């Protein structure tokens, strides 16, 4: 090989290394983006963690207000509006974004409605689960809530 051929080869190797490094950077960035998107979302707002669920369940007026909001029969408080927006996502994703306190509260609400207010449970189920998808998915939890 002549002198000119030797000079071209190191430059070609350098360009190949640059291309490999660029490819590596692109793959690394893609992995970072994919990991971020795949990462479970943050939890729902924790402002509900301080709501006294027992007080709502024990008050026909308060409970009726939330149920009427959820069923589009009445005005919604800001908390009721947020619950109405969040409930379908929580049902769909098994409350994966719920805080521990919210999961405990939802268990308490389910137990109360199933045992003491089956009429409201039925109405809410018809609205948010007309095809019984969630009733079937959570049947063990619902059965466990029955007294």
């Amino acid at each position: 090989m002549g002198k000119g051929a030797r000079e071209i080869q190191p430059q070609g190797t350098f360009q190949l290394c640059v291309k490999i490094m660029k490819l590596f950077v692109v793959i690394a960035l893609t992995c970072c983006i994919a990991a971020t998107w795949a990462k479970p979302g943050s939890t729902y707002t924790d402002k509900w963690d301080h709501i006294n669920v027992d007080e709502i369940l024990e008050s026909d007026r308060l409970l009726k207000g939330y149920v009427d909001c959820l069923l589009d029969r009445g005005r919604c408080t800001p908390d009721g509006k947020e619950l109405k927006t969040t409930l379908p996502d929580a049902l769909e994703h098994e409350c994966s974004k719920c805080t521990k306190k919210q999961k405990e509260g939802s268990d308490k609400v389910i137990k109360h409605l199933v045992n003491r207010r089956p009429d409201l449970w039925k109405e809410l189920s018809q609205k948010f689960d007309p095809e019984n998808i969630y009733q079937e998915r959570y049947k063990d939890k619902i059965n466990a809530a029955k007294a």
Side-chain angles (χ1 to χ4, degrees):
M1 291 184 110
K3 186 176 178 184
R6 288 186 190 169
E7 291 175 15
I8 292 174
Q9 189 165 358
Q11 186 178 19
T13 303
F14 176 75
Q15 287 176 344
L16 180 62
C17 287
V18 168
K19 287 181 181 180
I20 290 172
M21 287 182 69
K22 284 181 180 179
L23 180 62
F24 177 75
V25 169
V26 169
I27 290 171
L29 286 173
T30 303
C31 289
C32 288
I33 292 169
T36 302
W37 284 344
K39 182 180 174 186
S42 61
T43 59
Y44 301 125
T45 178
D46 64 353
K47 71 180 180 179
W48 300 325
D49 290 2
H50 308 292
I51 291 177
N52 186 341
V53 174
D54 291 318
E55 181 182 352
I56 295 168
L57 295 176
E58 291 169 8
S59 167
D60 285 338
R61 181 185 62 81
L62 292 174
L63 182 59
K64 182 179 180 337
Y66 277 97
V67 171
D68 284 349
C69 166
L70 292 171
L71 295 175
D72 300 317
R73 295 192 302 218
R75 296 178 53 129
C76 294
T77 64
D79 288 338
K81 190 179 284 187
E82 190 73 28
L83 175 62
K84 188 176 181 177
T85 302
T86 304
L87 188 57
D89 183 71
L91 288 169
E92 176 67 28
H93 299 102
E94 300 181 25
C95 215
S96 63
K97 296 180 186 176
C98 295
T99 65
K100 182 181 178 197
K101 189 88 168 172
Q102 290 164 359
K103 287 179 183 180
E104 291 168 357
S106 68
D107 289 346
K108 192 177 282 192
V109 169
I110 290 168
K111 186 171 186 167
H112 179 84
L113 292 175
V114 166
N115 291 310
R116 296 188 181 167
R117 297 301 306 266
D119 56 320
L120 297 179
W121 176 257
K122 184 177 179 182
E123 287 183 89
L124 290 166
S125 296
Q126 288 172 345
K127 162 95 179 185
F128 290 95
D129 189 22
E131 297 175 15
N132 284 336
I133 294 168
Y134 305 121
Q135 294 276 348
E136 188 61 32
R137 183 184 297 172
Y138 304 121
K139 110 175 121 180
D140 292 340
K141 189 174 214 163
I142 294 167
N143 289 334
K146 293 181 180 177

